[in-house]
Amino acid sequence: MCGICGIYDPLRRLAPVGAMSRIQSHRGPDDSGYVFANSASGQYREAGDSDTDPSLALESVDRVREDSFDLALASRRLAILDLSPSGHMPMSRAGKSLWIVFNGEIYNYREIREELRAHGHCFRSESDTEVILAAYQQWGCDCLTRFNGMFAFALWDAARRRLFCARDRFGVKPFYYYWREGVFIFASELKSLLAHPCVPRRPNDSAIYDYLVLCQSDHGPETFFEGVQSLPASHFILLDIPREHLTVNRWWKLELNPDLDSAGDDAPVCSRFSSLLEDAVRLRLRSDVPVGSCLSGGLDSSSVVCLADRLLRTEGAAAHRSVGSRLATFTARNSQPEIDEFRFSHSIVERTNAEENLVLPSGERLWEELRSFVWHMDEPVDSTSQYPQWNVMRLARERGVTVLLDGQGGDEVLGGYYSYWPHYLNQLRQGKGALAFWRGTWDVLRVGGQPAQEVLYQRAAGQLPWRLQQAIRALKPYRIGPGQGGSGLQEWQAAPELLDRFSNRRWMPRRALNGNGLAGIMHEDIVSANLPRLLRYEDRNSMAFSLETRLPFLDYRLVQQVFALPMSYRIRGGWNKWILRKSLSGLLPREIAWRKSKLGFPVPERDWLASGARFIRETLGGKAGRCLETYVRPGALRQMCQLGDAGLAAAPGLWRLVNLAVWFEVFISDPSRAATGHQQQVRGGLAAARQR
């Protein structure tokens, strides 16, 4: 796991690469490195800085004459596999004609390495990075299809004079780039790109509109910064240096089955599912540093912990030495009993031999470190519910754990969201008739309870004429769940110019795409609508504390199997995630396997907003708030700030406005202070915790 960046510039302006790398030092505190290359002559030079392993004896990056080179690659390393200097990056192969900087993990690197050895390849390290280089030597760009992992890398092929940059199937690891007038700049984080003077610090108004009004983000290649793009998941870039031509290509596509039912035997299907999930966990326990797991008490993280515990019991601690005799778990508690999942998470701890570590996030501390939180996130987030994850990651690092398993992706793959029910019932009605629809509705209401009633009520109201919808919602407003970020801006808040300017820009309606029913909608959630933003939160929260997270539910073999099955394996008898519940019902406590409620990492958001009322008024009423004048109606912020604390906390779109205002302050108005202060705040907190 690392932070990577690089520059190709035919005018040889490579000096910013040092600042770009340093600003990502939180992603890789164990080592750093640089390589400068002349794309025409093949000449290269390696360099380091104050964070580079001294045993490598590399010259300082500040002493490299940049006018001799037109390409620079840089890496900040978080050492996970092969902790020795042999894992240093940039790493080379084939007589220094191939160079790579790599962020992520290839979980099946041992199996690929053995296959490559059969082809005659030799290895000098135990790292997965070297496996990527050898795989590219053997199979070219097609090597990507052999990798089971999360990755973003840039590989310089000097013989072909091309830069090959790729991102994993689901986009677990980030890759941002700027391409203009023959200059190509890339990095793991947006703030690294912004350290290059060629990259403009201009807000992207279309992304801000989507965030404030449509409540959407991370749903395409656009970012909050004008001209900066995100490489889509399962795509790669080829930069042909002689032609100065850049192409973006898809290398993997998820196939899906739109059918509702199957007449096959459930037993072998469930057996294969549980075997794949267990193997996904097994592969993600491979590490040369301590491994633990997030545990919320929900079905997904509980399944991961129980499977990891079973592997420890059946295969022994020696086979999973990075875990030890007990798996350390990390859980965020809640001050409000009705949204505290402790009794569920604790039941998993009691069921297994796991070690329990708890943290209680507070609204007061959120406001104290909000600027640091925003700086690490790069772009605004949709609610305060990402803050508990930040606290969980910090706690894990304080306890000496470097790698965490997590249940992220289970909802998108297995149909875990309440919002899927109406689409499922609609497909049921279209495919099997009214009787099946009403039976399905009864099952959903029986299992789903109050949340199901709310979702189906809103869905039904949405089919009525617009004015009648407004009247109904005035009588019975939609109840936003804890930590869901509330609504977007209302008409009285949003600037008319903003609404007019983007009147034709709307989020794709939630519909059965290309006749694929609910399977198509779930595919949309994985590709663009939901998972990309959750993966950004996961990446930034963990990397803020130099920690790696691994997601078994996004093992591509498992996802492919589930999407090849009919919908009845995800929703059956009113139960979502049916195949997971059925497959692991003998391993999980019954209250978890057949749990009806779903919370995740909930927070008392309105209470937290009320507790930060003073901070919010100062922010919206000050310089940061003035940055929002383009996006809100004149007087709207003042009107909100005049409300009492409780009224202010309930104002539509409040969190989004505050988050955006602080984002402007951190990245647009005062970036020089942001570039150092927020890293130091996180580092200082970790150092103090270690001393305690």
Side-chain angles (χ1 to χ4, degrees):
M1 185 64 63
C2 303
I4 63 174
C5 61
I7 305 168
Y8 167 72
D9 187 346
L11 299 181
R12 305 188 175 188
R13 298 166 295 185
L14 304 181
V17 74
M20 291 174 62
S21 179
R22 284 190 292 273
I23 208 168
Q24 295 185 125
S25 60
H26 52 280
R27 297 187 71 92
D30 299 325
D31 188 21
S32 63
Y34 305 82
V35 66
F36 295 82
N38 185 307
S39 65
S41 69
Q43 177 188 6
Y44 68 89
R45 181 168 296 177
E46 295 183 76
D49 58 26
S50 58
D51 293 325
T52 303
D53 188 327
S55 69
L56 297 170
L58 295 177
E59 71 171 312
S60 172
V61 65
D62 298 326
R63 299 181 61 183
V64 176
R65 289 190 56 180
E66 64 177 71
D67 58 1
S68 299
F69 308 99
D70 56 5
L71 175 69
L73 304 177
S75 167
R76 293 278 161 172
R77 185 184 181 207
L78 177 63
I80 303 293
L81 299 173
D82 190 345
L83 310 185
S84 76
S86 297
H88 173 81
M89 288 186 286
M91 183 180 288
S92 65
R93 193 173 172 86
K96 306 285 187 177
S97 66
L98 296 177
W99 291 89
I100 190 173
V101 287
F102 163 50
N103 171 30
E105 302 290 347
I106 306 300
Y107 302 122
N108 63 335
Y109 75 102
R110 295 178 185 172
E111 291 77 9
I112 298 174
R113 186 172 59 196
E114 291 310 306
E115 184 179 0
L116 288 165
R117 279 179 173 150
H119 285 286
H121 291 268
C122 296
F123 296 87
R124 60 179 178 82
S125 76
E126 294 297 317
S127 73
D128 54 345
T129 308
E130 191 177 9
V131 170
I132 298 176
L133 283 169
Y136 176 80
Q137 267 188 288
Q138 184 66 36
W139 299 300
C141 297
D142 289 340
C143 67
L144 297 172
T145 62
R146 305 194 175 237
F147 300 150
N148 183 352
M150 54 180 185
F151 53 85
F153 63 77
L155 191 156
W156 168 238
D157 185 337
R160 292 182 175 90
R161 297 185 65 194
R162 73 182 186 187
L163 191 64
F164 172 45
C165 308
R167 198 172 180 204
D168 65 73
R169 290 172 177 84
F170 303 107
V172 180
K173 292 291 97 185
F175 191 98
Y176 298 100
Y177 69 98
Y178 178 81
W179 167 247
R180 187 172 182 182
E181 297 178 350
V183 177
F184 179 69
I185 310 167
F186 72 89
S188 296
E189 296 188 2
L190 288 164
K191 65 181 71 68
S192 176
L193 280 179
L194 296 175
H196 195 295
C198 286
V199 180
R201 285 183 179 268
R202 289 195 297 269
N204 180 1
D205 286 350
S206 61
I208 291 174
Y209 170 84
D210 289 354
Y211 174 71
L212 288 178
V213 179
L214 303 183
C215 301
Q216 295 292 340
S217 63
D218 302 85
H219 55 82
E222 283 189 273
T223 71
F224 275 72
F225 296 96
E226 188 177 298
V228 177
Q229 291 192 296
S230 172
L231 177 64
S234 64
H235 282 68
F236 68 84
I237 287 172
L238 280 179
L239 176 59
D240 186 316
I241 298 297
R243 295 193 298 145
E244 291 191 358
H245 180 66
L246 183 145
T247 57
V248 178
N249 307 277
R250 175 185 288 275
W251 64 269
W252 183 79
K253 183 178 181 180
L254 178 61
E255 302 296 334
L256 52 87
N257 180 352
D259 296 342
L260 279 171
D261 295 311
S262 172
D265 185 2
D266 291 336
V269 175
C270 290
S271 176
R272 173 163 169 73
F273 173 86
S274 61
S275 295
L276 276 176
L277 182 57
E278 184 173 69
D279 194 54
V281 173
R282 179 186 289 108
L283 288 179
R284 284 158 181 78
L285 291 175
R286 290 178 171 176
S287 172
D288 293 330
V289 294
V291 177
S293 183
C294 299
L295 177 61
S296 69
L299 181 58
D300 300 334
S301 63
S302 297
S303 299
V304 170
V305 170
C306 286
L307 285 168
D309 179 72
R310 184 166 74 182
L311 288 168
L312 287 174
R313 293 174 187 270
T314 58
E315 300 178 0
H320 304 287
R321 64 185 187 279
S322 60
V323 180
S325 60
R326 303 175 67 198
L327 181 71
T329 63
F330 299 89
T331 301
R333 293 205 60 180
N334 203 295
S335 58
Q336 292 188 359
E338 65 271 19
I339 54 175
D340 184 19
E341 295 193 277
F342 175 68
R343 75 179 182 91
F344 296 107
S345 66
H346 190 66
S347 72
I348 295 298
V349 171
E350 291 182 327
R351 178 79 165 219
T352 65
N353 190 37
E355 170 193 316
E356 186 175 53
N357 295 275
L358 305 172
V359 64
L360 181 63
S362 71
E364 290 74 15
R365 192 167 184 185
L366 167 64
W367 302 112
E368 290 173 4
E369 56 187 7
L370 180 61
R371 289 181 176 86
S372 178
F373 179 69
V374 170
W375 185 84
H376 276 283
M377 283 295 171
D378 271 345
E379 299 176 288
V381 303
D382 62 347
S383 76
T384 58
S385 64
Q386 285 73 53
Y387 185 63
Q389 189 183 54
W390 165 279
N391 284 265
V392 165
M393 302 303 176
R394 172 165 46 202
L395 176 65
R397 201 57 163 136
E398 290 171 355
R399 297 291 191 270
V401 170
T402 308
V403 174
L404 281 181
L405 306 183
D406 199 355
Q408 194 74 268
D411 288 316
E412 289 79 9
V413 174
L414 297 169
Y417 293 121
Y418 296 149
S419 60
Y420 292 148
W421 283 329
H423 303 287
Y424 168 73
L425 294 173
N426 184 51
Q427 187 175 355
L428 201 62
R429 178 180 58 80
Q430 292 178 351
K432 304 183 74 172
L435 183 58
F437 168 80
W438 288 113
R439 284 176 176 169
T441 301
W442 166 250
D443 286 337
V444 166
L445 292 172
R446 173 179 55 83
V447 174
Q450 182 64 31
Q453 294 178 32
E454 288 286 335
V455 169
L456 297 185
Y457 167 80
Q458 290 298 322
R459 178 69 173 179
Q463 307 302 310
L464 299 172
W466 183 80
R467 291 190 180 279
L468 190 52
Q469 288 184 43
Q470 296 296 100
I472 290 175
R473 285 171 181 160
L475 293 172
K476 186 181 179 183
Y478 180 58
R479 297 200 301 183
I480 299 294
Q484 292 182 9
S487 65
L489 297 191
Q490 306 298 299
E491 189 173 354
W492 65 271
Q493 295 170 302
E497 297 82 4
L498 181 72
L499 299 177
D500 291 343
R501 182 179 170 191
F502 298 105
S503 61
N504 62 342
R505 184 182 178 93
R506 62 184 183 277
W507 181 241
M508 185 181 295
R510 307 286 286 171
R511 61 178 183 270
L513 302 179
N514 301 320
N516 287 323
L518 179 54
I521 290 171
M522 294 175 64
H523 179 270
E524 177 194 340
D525 274 348
I526 287 176
V527 172
S528 61
N530 199 56
L531 188 61
R533 64 185 174 86
L534 296 179
L535 293 178
R536 170 166 62 94
Y537 306 156
E538 180 100 21
D539 175 81
R540 301 308 192 280
N541 274 325
S542 59
M543 296 303 332
F545 301 101
S546 307
L547 188 146
E548 173 178 297
T549 53
R550 298 175 171 182
L551 314 176
F553 283 100
L554 291 183
D555 187 299
Y556 81 95
R557 300 168 301 165
L558 187 80
V559 178
Q560 283 183 162
Q561 187 218 9
V562 172
F563 271 79
L565 295 172
M567 192 55 59
S568 59
Y569 283 99
R570 277 166 277 188
I571 300 178
R572 186 180 298 189
W575 294 97
N576 56 18
K577 301 184 181 179
W578 182 87
I579 191 172
L580 177 63
R581 298 177 191 271
K582 184 70 174 178
S583 300
L584 299 190
S585 58
L587 180 65
L588 295 166
R590 181 171 178 79
E591 67 171 344
I592 300 293
W594 300 100
R595 180 181 169 183
K596 295 181 178 181
S597 61
K598 174 180 174 55
L599 293 176
F601 282 123
V603 297
E605 182 155 282
R606 285 198 179 179
D607 289 352
W608 283 10
L609 291 171
S611 72
R614 180 177 178 180
F615 176 93
I616 292 170
R617 291 190 180 96
E618 290 175 352
T619 299
L620 296 184
K623 181 180 178 181
R626 289 195 290 276
C627 294
L628 303 182
E629 291 176 354
T630 305
Y631 312 106
V632 298
R633 284 180 180 267
L637 295 181
R638 183 175 65 253
Q639 182 180 346
M640 292 168 61
C641 290
Q642 289 173 347
L643 298 170
D645 291 357
L648 175 63
L654 178 66
W655 166 257
R656 295 178 186 274
L657 288 168
V658 176
N659 196 169
L660 185 62
V662 174
W663 177 83
F664 263 100
E665 177 187 340
V666 168
F667 286 103
I668 307 298
S669 305
D670 193 11
S672 59
R673 182 171 70 88
T676 56
H678 304 309
Q679 279 179 316
Q680 292 170 357
Q681 181 175 344
V682 169
R683 286 177 174 174
L686 284 174
R690 292 191 186 101
Q691 291 174 1
R692 289 196 296 271

